[in-house]
Structure formats: structure tokens, C-alpha cells
Amino acid sequence: MWWRLLGVDIAAGAVLIAAWYWIFLRLNRRRGVRILQWVEQAIEGKGLIDGVKWLSASRMQVQLRLFDSGFCQPSMLVQLLPRETPLQWIVSLLRRRRETLTFESDLPCAPNFNL
């Protein structure tokens, strides 16, 4: 008798976790689309978005094509909060992590100064 209740609890938990993952995956994708729109507005007339690759449910790589710039193979890494898994989300909130956007590029030659 108790194993039936345990089976129902496990099934309900699995459905709840799957629903959480699906809902927050969709919310992160919508947030990613909004970020892409902001990037397009920021580089309007200076370049365009060449491609988008989702590396995980909360991280995406955005390839850029910038006109008349000194950057080779420019890209951006967008890291959103990992809302799709409750435990990772809580840990990131407790550690006060923020969503980040990192610009990456190669330079055509080495700079004349040390960083």
C-alpha cells in the first residue's frame, strides 16, 4: 500500500520538475530574444548579428559581424541566471550572481602595451 503512495509522490515530483524546467527554459529563451533585440539596436548601422548558438539552457553565444572595426571574429557570451533548475537558481541567488554579457574578439595585431 505505501509503495503505491511512494510511486504517486515520485511521479508527481517528476512532473513538477519537468514543468518547472520547461516553463523557465521558455522564459530564459524569451529573455534571450529581448537581449538580442537590445544588441541589434546597440550595433545598428555598425554591424549585425551573424548567428546565435545556445550552449545551455541559460547560456548563449552570439556571433557578430562588425563593419569597419579593428576586431576579428567578434562575439558575445550571454549568461542568464539558471532558472531552469531550482537548486542552481537558489545557489546563484545566494551567491548574488548576476546575468552577464561578455564581449570576446581577436585583435589583428598585438597591442603596444601590457594589460
Side-chain angles (χ1 to χ4, degrees):
M1 182 73 158
W2 64 270
W3 61 88
R4 287 185 187 170
L5 293 176
L6 181 64
V8 169
D9 289 344
I10 290 173
V15 167
L16 182 65
I17 289 173
W20 177 285
Y21 182 84
W22 183 78
I23 289 168
F24 282 100
L25 175 70
R26 303 247 324 146
L27 287 175
N28 266 357
R29 295 292 164 112
R30 280 191 207 153
R31 183 144 173 81
V33 168
R34 270 190 279 144
I35 290 170
L36 289 175
Q37 291 170 347
W38 293 339
V39 169
E40 279 183 335
Q41 290 174 357
I43 64 173
E44 188 174 0
K46 299 174 185 84
L48 52 89
I49 294 176
D50 205 21
V52 177
K53 179 180 178 185
W54 282 92
L55 304 174
S56 71
S58 58
R59 177 184 256 186
M60 70 176 165
Q61 182 83 26
V62 181
Q63 298 296 325
L64 301 173
R65 185 181 308 162
L66 299 176
F67 311 127
D68 300 327
S69 72
F71 298 112
C72 300
Q73 300 174 343
S75 66
M76 293 182 348
L77 181 66
V78 178
Q79 176 69 46
L80 303 172
L81 288 177
R83 292 177 183 91
E84 70 279 354
T85 52
L87 186 59
Q88 285 182 342
W89 186 33
I90 291 170
V91 168
S92 66
L93 289 176
L94 291 175
R95 292 184 180 173
R96 296 182 181 172
R97 291 197 177 145
R98 295 186 175 174
E99 297 177 326
T100 59
L101 187 142
T102 307
F103 179 79
E104 302 170 339
S105 178
D106 293 333
L107 295 173
C109 60
N112 294 334
F113 56 89
N114 265 339
L115 294 176

